[in-house]
Amino acid sequence: MNELETKCPNTWCPGCGNFGILMAIKQTIDELIKRGTPKEKIVLVSDIGCNSKIVDYINVNSFYSLHGRPITTAEGIKLANSDLRVIVFTGDGGTFNEGSSHFIHAARRNANINVFLHNNRLFALTTGQFTAVSPKGLKGKSTPEGNVEEPFNLPELAMAAKASFIARGYSVKVDHLKKMMLEAINHEGFSFLEILQPCPSFFDTAKDYNERTYEAINPEIDSKEKALGFIREWNYNGEGKIPLGVFYKTERLHYEEEINKGTEDNKVDIKKCLATHL
Ligand SMILES: Cc1ncc(C[n+]2csc(CCOP(=O)(O)OP(=O)(O)O)c2C)c(N)n1
Ligand code: SF4
């Protein structure tokens, strides 16, 4: 674990949910290395935002992309180097406002990458504007009289986009979150892990989540119907329980397998490809 430390000063606010996510991913990477994944085969790709600073705090290869563009960057990295494990860290604003089309197409084509979403349900780094998953009525810098829009249900959106792995964790429940991370990373194909993350500075949801979240287990993990039953228990507005866990998992060929079919060693030589076609 000590080898994963960096010298970057941490600038998150005290009590930020990102600390729990950092703890869980460090433990997860430590576990992957112990199980035999070379450290240099792990690549973290970030967006821009409070969430994205996480890559500064972990001593592993990483790439800061543009706001809303980490998924497409990760897809390129994975396609050119299929033996890497590529993990995206992003925020709800970056990926479901600016970058929503990248998310749905990466899920649809089953790109073999992991998307870990720090969901604090607003744009935090820019001080609290509403996003596509803010609850109706949320008061913030850009909605002083309350947000009038309906939020997306993200796992439901992921299901409609054909994601092959869909799960939810909570930054306070670090052991459970680590389990979700390991399952997502070990899944072959597109994995979406939504991580509920309180932002004490602009939308402090910790008390609410502590009371309402529970660990759900889908007995038929490849049943869309069963998964949607759990997923629809919470629509980001209103009362009721909030399920955590792996909601859905299925196997199908992933994007790199489809693209690499029939090539030497089942691997596209990107350099050769560019030299031939440019
Ligand atoms: C294309 C583009 N649009 C807007 C910005 C400004 N910007 C930087 S961070 C940020 C908010 C990020 O919010 P979110 O993705 O939800 O992450 P959080 O900070 O909440 O973790 C915005 C709007 C930018 N850098 N680039
Ligand atoms: S603004 Fe919110 S998300 Fe950003 S560091 Fe502070 S508490 Fe965390």
Side-chain angles (χ1 to χ4, degrees):
M1 287 287 276
N2 287 344
E3 284 180 25
L4 296 176
E5 296 293 321
T6 70
K7 293 198 172 97
C8 290
N10 192 306
T11 57
W12 287 326
C13 312
C16 176
N18 282 318
F19 286 103
I21 302 176
L22 177 61
M23 176 71 74
I25 188 64
K26 273 188 177 165
Q27 290 180 6
T28 301
I29 292 174
D30 187 50
E31 184 88 31
L32 288 174
I33 293 170
K34 281 184 186 143
R35 288 186 195 177
T37 304
K39 190 177 165 191
E40 63 276 12
K41 296 284 181 199
I42 301 170
V43 179
L44 313 179
V45 182
S46 81
D47 193 90
I48 300 292
C50 295
N51 65 84
S52 304
K53 296 178 187 180
I54 197 165
V55 302
D56 286 338
Y57 310 144
I58 310 170
N59 188 16
V60 168
N61 287 319
S62 60
F63 188 94
Y64 251 103
S65 79
L66 296 172
H67 194 38
R69 302 292 177 262
I71 291 178
T72 192
T73 309
E75 284 185 81
I77 292 172
K78 182 70 184 177
L79 196 53
N81 302 277
S82 55
D83 53 344
L84 298 178
R85 291 199 183 265
V86 185
I87 308 169
V88 172
F89 290 90
T90 185
D92 46 298
T95 283
F96 291 99
N97 286 82
E98 285 90 347
S100 48
S101 62
H102 294 295
F103 178 87
I104 57 177
H105 293 293
R108 178 180 60 82
R109 63 174 73 105
N110 203 24
N112 194 10
I113 59 171
N114 312 284
V115 175
F116 290 179
L117 180 83
H118 303 222
N119 191 2
N120 53 21
R121 296 162 71 202
L122 39 63
F123 288 102
L125 189 71
T126 44
T127 71
Q129 298 80 10
F130 76 109
T131 66
V133 290
S134 299
K136 205 167 179 187
L138 181 82
K139 291 192 174 169
K141 292 280 164 68
S142 57
T143 50
E145 296 190 17
N147 169 29
V148 296
E149 298 181 10
E150 281 290 332
F152 277 137
N153 181 329
L154 296 183
E156 195 171 354
L157 182 70
M159 182 72 89
K162 300 184 188 296
S164 55
F165 179 101
I166 304 170
R168 180 185 285 140
Y170 172 30
S171 60
V172 169
K173 299 190 175 176
V174 175
D175 286 346
H176 179 263
L177 180 56
K178 177 187 159 191
K179 215 170 123 212
M180 296 295 102
M181 287 177 166
L182 277 169
E183 280 206 46
I185 292 169
N186 286 330
H187 174 72
E188 290 292 323
F190 186 87
S191 70
F192 173 54
L193 173 60
E194 176 190 24
I195 307 168
L196 300 178
Q197 180 240 312
C199 165
S201 296
F202 300 108
F203 189 26
D204 195 355
T205 45
K207 188 171 173 294
D208 189 42
Y209 291 162
N210 289 346
E211 287 166 4
R212 295 172 61 198
T213 54
Y214 79 100
E215 289 175 27
I217 293 172
N218 183 355
E220 286 173 52
I221 202 66
D222 60 351
S223 156
K224 285 189 178 175
E225 213 170 283
K226 285 261 174 350
L228 284 171
F230 286 109
I231 289 169
R232 288 178 179 154
E233 282 179 27
W234 185 52
N235 70 356
Y236 295 61
N237 284 322
E239 312 287 305
K241 290 282 180 201
I242 303 176
L244 306 174
V246 180
F247 299 135
Y248 180 68
K249 189 159 84 164
T250 191
E251 301 292 329
R252 66 183 163 98
L253 282 189
H254 54 73
Y255 184 60
E256 294 76 21
E257 285 172 323
E258 294 279 14
I259 288 279
N260 294 343
K261 257 188 210 162
T263 57
E264 214 177 300
D265 301 331
N266 278 332
K267 216 170 172 180
V268 169
D269 183 338
I270 294 287
K271 287 191 187 116
K272 201 164 133 194
C273 188
L274 290 176
T276 316
H277 296 293
L278 287 184

